[in-house]
Amino acid sequence: MAKENNSHHHAEAKRKRLIWILCVSGFCILSYVLGAWQTNTLPSSSSEVFSRKGCDETKTQSKLSTSSEDEDASLSSSSSSSLSSSSSSEPVELDFESHHKLELKQKNQTIKYFEPCDMSLSEYTPCEDRERGRRFDRNMMKYRERHCPSKDELLYCLIPPPPNYKIPLKWPQSRDYAWYDNIPHKELSIEKAIQNWIQVEGERFRFPGGGTGFPRGADAYIDDISRLIPLTDGGIRTAIDTGCGVASFGAYLLKRDIVAMSFAPRDTHEAQVQFALERGVPAIIGIMGSIRLPYPARAFDLAHCSRCLIPWFKNDGLYLTEVDRVLRPGGYWILSGPPINWKKHWKGWERTQEDLKQEQDSIENAAKSLCWKKVTEKGDFSIWQKPNNHIACKKLKRAHKSPPICTKAVQPDFAWYKELESCVTPLPEANSPDEFAGGALEDWPDRAFAVPPRIIQGTIPEINAEKFKEDNEVWKERIAYYKHIMPELSRGRFRNIMDMNAYLGGFAAAIAKYPSWVMNVVPVDAEKQTLGMIYERGFIGTYQDWCEAFSTYPRTYDLIHAGGLFSIYENRCDVTLILLEMDRILRPEGTVVFRDTVEMLTKIQSITNGMKWMSRILDHEKGPFIPEKILLAVKSYWTGPSA
């Protein structure tokens, strides 16, 4: 009997222990779910995360003179639905204890605050500094190429905006207008007054769409071109505009679904590229000098020069040979201005007829040596077309060896500080004269999601059609999440966007329907060099070493995306310098999305706290169990002092 009682008590104790374990487990699971829900529930307004302090909103609004401008300012003052910015606001402490076993030592961390640089550096472009450029040879414009600061010249301060800086106008209004206080330079409006580049109207600049070669405006100029070659059927999507001025050519191509990489040097014409980006038009500081343009081979459907002052005929047509490298098979080169139509314009150009004829003959010979076909010369335009392949060209080169076709060792896509070479970039093999070397491209907009020829042909290691399609699905999900944490993404708040580590261009493709454009940057240190494939999708971009500054003016991007970038560079250069460079190119109240490990994001956040950025770490779009996290940050609004 005693044995039976003991057995009964033992069973009863076991049952109670089991009930206790189940209750504790249920409580833990409930606590975890509630914690995860609370962390991922985003505020409905920016004031729920940060309060704006020390910001006179009434004064800011009074600077805008029309109702449409008031709407732009209202949007910009809440540059993220999750965040708001202020020089005196402090970031909210985030608790990851319910998600991670990692100990985050942030509460007692000393923040290093960065001071503003001197106001004389308000438009500082580190690798295109004119004072530094004077140390270099003027031959082949080397003094205007990229020359970045040495270690003892690096700045650990914040580039200050002008005293009365305003958030730029929204696209499409920005195409025609910009705030004078953002780029306080009247030089172009005076020097180019009769050419209608830019005009000053009160507190705003107006861009009439004119240019040195656009007497009736860029829109009418492009219409003239469209009568000579097809511009609106989707076959031409990417363009390069050499010597772009304020990029009116690129601005008016956009309405035809053509996106142009416009570039011009930083020279005596103050801030041409800055004006272009302020308008919401893609542009970059650059020059045709002694090194390759930072783009892959076979990137552009169209190349354009309107009085761009590039000596195409010199050095045995070396610069035209570089255009040939970046032009896709079947692509067009358009030249207007001297020496084209010299018989009509030679007196106005103040040059002799003999000089102009000799220049045009030299250009014609250089084009022939590249196997280009002249499509037309009509009025002020001459247009050439690159062949679809080099089948016929190889036969021609056996008879005319200058310039020869390069050997395969030249690496056509490599273009970071790579010197120009006097040889024709070889095209992929083709089987018939009509076949497009490297593969034909779909027309736009189908091109954005069609499998690119470089992937079909297996030229990118470990990337196939299936992985390409999977990446598109990943970005579809990510952008849906980004719209949740940044509702302004789909509303036109972010016009100029940069993807600092673009990979396959999925981010740009997923937001192609929004009123924005993306500068797709492929780091030269990336495991896979994919920029050529990104161009095949119909998007633009450039190579970049993020241990150096980007070739743009301060305050030229609204949104920067940095996915996995810092894991690439953390052992190569100072992460702080990369973040300071991001601060330089980001507009006040601009937004940054970082994707990385928690350890890296907390390191980044500790630095950006000292840069007057407000930020919050969020879970991955797939939930809290994914190790990769997201840091959403907003640069606060502040300006430099008045003189």
Side-chain angles (χ1 to χ4, degrees):
M1 187 71 178
K3 186 175 181 180
E4 186 178 325
N5 285 338
N6 287 338
S7 176
H8 174 75
H9 287 306
H10 181 72
E12 182 67 19
K14 188 175 180 180
R15 185 176 65 83
K16 289 181 178 179
R17 257 197 323 272
L18 182 60
I19 293 172
W20 183 82
I21 290 171
L22 289 173
C23 289
V24 171
S25 299
F27 178 76
C28 290
I29 292 170
L30 179 62
S31 298
Y32 179 83
V33 171
L34 288 173
W37 175 82
Q38 188 176 24
T39 301
N40 282 297
T41 301
L42 297 172
S44 59
S45 68
S46 58
S47 61
E48 292 181 40
V49 183
F50 301 112
S51 59
R52 283 183 73 117
K53 301 176 184 177
C55 234
D56 187 350
E57 295 183 7
T58 305
K59 182 178 178 181
T60 302
Q61 292 296 327
S62 68
K63 293 177 183 176
L64 306 179
S65 57
T66 66
S67 60
S68 62
E69 292 154 9
D70 288 338
E71 181 182 350
D72 295 337
S74 175
L75 278 171
S76 65
S77 68
S78 58
S79 56
S80 169
S81 65
S82 303
L83 303 169
S84 182
S85 55
S86 166
S87 60
S88 61
S89 297
E90 292 297 329
V92 171
E93 295 292 343
L94 298 172
D95 183 9
F96 278 82
E97 191 172 352
S98 61
H99 295 176
H100 309 283
K101 297 301 181 183
L102 176 69
E103 183 181 358
L104 302 180
K105 300 178 180 179
Q106 286 185 285
K107 294 185 178 180
N108 299 320
Q109 188 171 9
T110 301
I111 297 174
K112 177 185 175 182
Y113 288 97
F114 296 89
E115 297 296 324
C117 304
D118 188 82
M119 273 304 297
S120 62
L121 296 168
S122 181
E123 294 178 359
Y124 182 49
T125 53
C127 295
E128 286 85 14
D129 182 65
R130 283 178 291 187
E131 291 299 318
R132 186 179 303 107
R134 289 178 180 144
R135 306 174 195 168
F136 296 89
D137 191 355
R138 298 181 72 87
N139 180 44
M140 292 186 72
M141 307 298 284
K142 291 179 182 178
Y143 74 109
R144 285 186 179 171
E145 293 178 336
R146 282 178 60 89
H147 302 291
C148 297
S150 59
K151 286 187 177 181
D152 59 344
E153 295 176 303
L154 295 171
L155 299 178
Y156 284 84
C157 55
L158 305 176
I159 301 298
N164 298 312
Y165 182 88
K166 301 178 181 69
I167 303 302
L169 301 169
K170 273 180 64 177
W171 183 268
Q173 189 182 15
S174 66
R175 186 193 69 182
D176 302 323
Y177 294 96
W179 296 115
Y180 172 81
D181 286 328
N182 290 7
I183 313 176
H185 294 290
K186 293 184 179 180
E187 292 88 344
L188 277 176
S189 66
I190 297 169
E191 186 174 343
K192 302 290 185 181
I194 62 172
Q195 297 168 8
N196 269 340
W197 280 34
I198 184 172
Q199 297 173 357
V200 179
E201 295 182 352
E203 60 180 3
R204 300 194 298 186
F205 287 113
R206 185 168 74 88
F207 301 91
T212 309
F214 314 147
R216 296 179 294 115
D219 210 20
Y221 175 90
I222 295 170
D223 284 341
D224 290 340
I225 294 174
S226 67
R227 297 184 187 97
L228 304 175
I229 58 174
L231 287 184
T232 57
D233 63 358
I236 294 175
R237 165 61 182 173
T238 55
I240 184 169
D241 186 17
T242 54
C244 66
V246 295
S248 288
F249 180 71
Y252 284 89
L253 279 177
L254 287 168
K255 64 189 286 187
R256 297 161 174 86
D257 274 340
I258 299 173
V259 58
M261 176 66 79
S262 300
F263 73 90
R266 174 156 191 168
D267 60 5
T268 53
H269 295 160
E270 286 288 355
Q272 294 180 84
V273 167
Q274 190 176 16
F275 276 121
L277 287 157
E278 190 74 9
R279 299 173 70 182
V281 180
I284 197 169
I285 300 173
I287 192 167
M288 296 199 76
S290 66
I291 60 176
R292 285 180 174 178
L293 298 171
Y295 317 117
R298 312 193 317 272
F300 299 99
D301 302 312
L302 182 149
H304 172 259
C305 164
S306 174
R307 299 198 63 158
C308 61
L309 305 180
I310 295 173
W312 301 111
F313 56 96
K314 289 188 177 180
N315 302 308
D316 295 323
L318 187 62
Y319 295 134
L320 212 55
T321 302
E322 175 63 358
V323 172
D324 179 79
R325 183 184 72 85
V326 300
L327 201 60
R328 76 168 178 87
Y332 296 95
W333 183 56
I334 302 171
L335 177 64
S336 67
I340 305 305
N341 205 4
W342 57 267
K343 292 179 181 179
K344 178 180 178 181
H345 298 298
W346 69 275
K347 289 183 179 179
W349 291 339
E350 298 180 352
R351 291 174 60 182
T352 66
Q353 296 184 67
E354 292 77 13
D355 180 37
L356 288 162
K357 182 180 184 303
Q358 183 179 4
E359 180 179 342
Q360 179 152 357
D361 288 345
S362 298
I363 291 173
E364 300 276 6
N365 291 333
K368 286 180 182 177
S369 73
L370 297 170
C371 307
W372 290 4
K373 173 187 175 183
K374 191 165 188 179
V375 175
T376 186
E377 180 171 335
K378 185 174 183 180
D380 294 340
F381 297 100
S382 277
I383 302 178
W384 288 263
Q385 187 173 24
K386 181 176 176 175
N388 293 342
N389 55 59
H390 275 167
I391 291 177
C393 192
K394 287 180 179 178
K395 296 178 182 177
L396 178 66
K397 288 298 174 188
R398 283 197 283 268
H400 305 283
K401 299 187 182 297
S402 179
I405 293 179
C406 305
T407 65
K408 293 183 179 180
V410 299
Q411 295 180 282
D413 285 350
F414 184 74
W416 189 249
Y417 294 121
K418 171 72 173 175
E419 290 189 1
L420 296 177
E421 297 184 69
S422 296
C423 57
V424 181
T425 301
L427 291 174
E429 295 296 328
N431 297 315
S432 69
D434 296 328
E435 182 183 341
F436 284 91
L441 301 179
E442 298 287 339
D443 290 341
W444 183 262
D446 295 339
R447 192 182 298 190
F449 292 98
V451 180
R454 276 173 165 88
I455 291 180
I456 293 173
Q457 297 187 353
T459 58
I460 304 175
E462 301 176 7
I463 301 296
N464 54 31
E466 184 179 353
K467 288 187 177 180
F468 173 76
K469 293 173 182 177
E470 287 174 359
D471 187 71
N472 288 332
E473 290 302 312
V474 165
W475 278 106
K476 183 178 179 181
E477 182 179 8
R478 287 181 177 178
I479 293 304
Y481 186 58
Y482 288 176
K483 284 170 62 179
H484 181 51
I485 62 177
M486 298 182 295
E488 291 87 354
L489 179 63
S490 59
R491 300 174 186 166
R493 167 65 182 86
F494 307 119
R495 173 64 184 171
N496 301 356
I497 300 177
M498 176 183 287
D499 190 350
M500 295 178 71
N501 187 19
Y503 187 46
L504 303 183
F507 173 68
I511 64 170
K513 59 186 176 182
Y514 301 147
S516 59
W517 60 272
V518 178
M519 180 68 75
N520 293 281
V521 181
V522 173
V524 293
D525 300 288
E527 182 182 352
K528 293 178 174 60
Q529 292 300 305
T530 55
L531 190 57
M533 182 275 304
I534 289 172
Y535 271 95
E536 288 180 338
R537 299 188 71 173
F539 303 111
I540 59 170
T542 183
Y543 295 113
Q544 174 68 24
D545 181 349
W546 284 114
C547 290
E548 300 178 1
F550 193 76
S551 291
T552 191
Y553 282 84
R555 303 173 298 281
T556 44
Y557 285 87
D558 303 301
L559 173 65
I560 298 176
H561 188 272
L565 181 79
F566 289 85
S567 294
I568 297 174
Y569 282 96
E570 64 176 328
N571 296 320
R572 288 202 61 244
C573 51
D574 189 350
V575 169
T576 300
L577 286 170
I578 300 178
L579 291 167
L580 286 170
E581 173 62 5
M582 294 171 72
D583 182 84
R584 183 184 74 88
I585 68 179
L586 188 65
R587 288 171 171 165
E589 298 194 340
T591 300
V592 181
V593 180
F594 300 91
R595 301 181 70 96
D596 225 305
T597 63
V598 172
E599 293 87 346
M600 179 56 68
L601 294 184
T602 52
K603 180 179 179 179
I604 290 170
Q605 190 178 45
S606 69
I607 299 170
T608 59
N609 284 346
M611 292 163 48
K612 305 181 183 180
W613 289 17
M614 304 301 111
S615 61
R616 182 180 180 183
I617 297 178
L618 304 169
D619 279 326
H620 191 276
E621 60 271 4
K622 289 186 179 295
F625 297 106
I626 306 299
E628 183 182 67
K629 302 297 174 185
I630 295 169
L631 176 64
L632 184 64
V634 172
K635 177 179 175 178
S636 64
Y637 177 90
W638 63 278
T639 67
S642 300

